[in-house]
Amino acid sequence: MPLLLLDLDNTLLPRDAAFRAWAGDFLTENGLPAGDLDWLVMLDGSGYVPRSTVLGAARRRYGIDRSVESMLAHYRDGINSHIQCPDSHVAALREAREAGWTLGIVSNGGTLPQLEKIRLTGLAPLVDGWVISEEARCLKPDPLIFEIAARRCDFRPAGDWKAQTWMVGDYGPADIAGAAATGLRSAWLHHGRPWAERAYRPTVSAPSLPEAVRVILAAGEHPAAGRGFAAAAAGRPQRSRGQLAIPASRLAPLPVKAVKAAKAGQSTQAPQTVQSVQSVQSTPAAKAASTPLAQQVPLVKARPLAPIESAQARWGDAAAAAG
């Protein structure tokens, strides 16, 4: 049984959309300019800016006579009233479950707010376990949090657990870097953004969670075909669509020679955004993808999953906290 680990905010749940809805309510309730919505969204930084910073700035801007703590409680109630798990995401999780995958959530954030999201959106019965950074006292990209997640999901692989695990997330420095540091394969949800990191890259990239899950399941059905999207799709005709999941190798910038040729006004052939399965299979990249992963990108040396019972006893169990 393989293991599929998933980030929570902006991966399983459309967190940014919920914040935007809360910000609109906040402005309306306080009689503030509706045109300031984009200002609040910008300040939010997709949740990576501390809440005290965002709410403190709003308090000063509008002269609100309330404490930041009071505003924070109002914010948490408000944003969670807007957040929900899309039906397409629920269907993707069920599809993975029916295919025999173990499912887990790995989230950076506060324990109580993240647990409330898991409960309110109905995710709890759809997964085998979860870990939240505050209660675990470690953050993504620390490999330890992924090991804790595997334990929480009661994952018992035959062989090295890392070789049977994928991580899906939208934030490179936490989700994808964490997977790379741990030795896991990864799927990055690009949400229309370009990949910017140079030191590491995801195994595959996809525009949405359902697309990422389909690619991962296809890769599991064709283990000898490699880990990339092109290899996973071999033998399965794909419709030409504007935003297919793409292999990480396609995220790299153009070769230096091509850039120089373009500047000199020479004719260069732009790489195709979508290739047919037949043409992809004939490329050197696809031939390399047919090589087992261990021969392509060496993972961390295989070893049994180290016991962490003492750590769990010290940090507490998320399942217990959820009760």
Side-chain angles (χ1 to χ4, degrees), residues 204-227:
V204 297
S205 174
S208 67
L209 176 66
E211 186 71 36
V213 170
R214 282 193 289 270
V215 172
I216 291 170
L217 296 188
E221 293 171 5
H222 304 279
R227 311 299 188 184

Side-chain angles (χ1 to χ4, degrees), residues 4 6 12 93 97 102-105 118 122-130 153:
L4 181 60
L6 305 113
L12 282 168
L93 293 179
R97 171 79 73 200
T102 298
L103 306 177
I105 298 172
I118 292 172
L123 283 172
L126 298 176
V127 299
D128 296 283
W130 53 79
C153 293

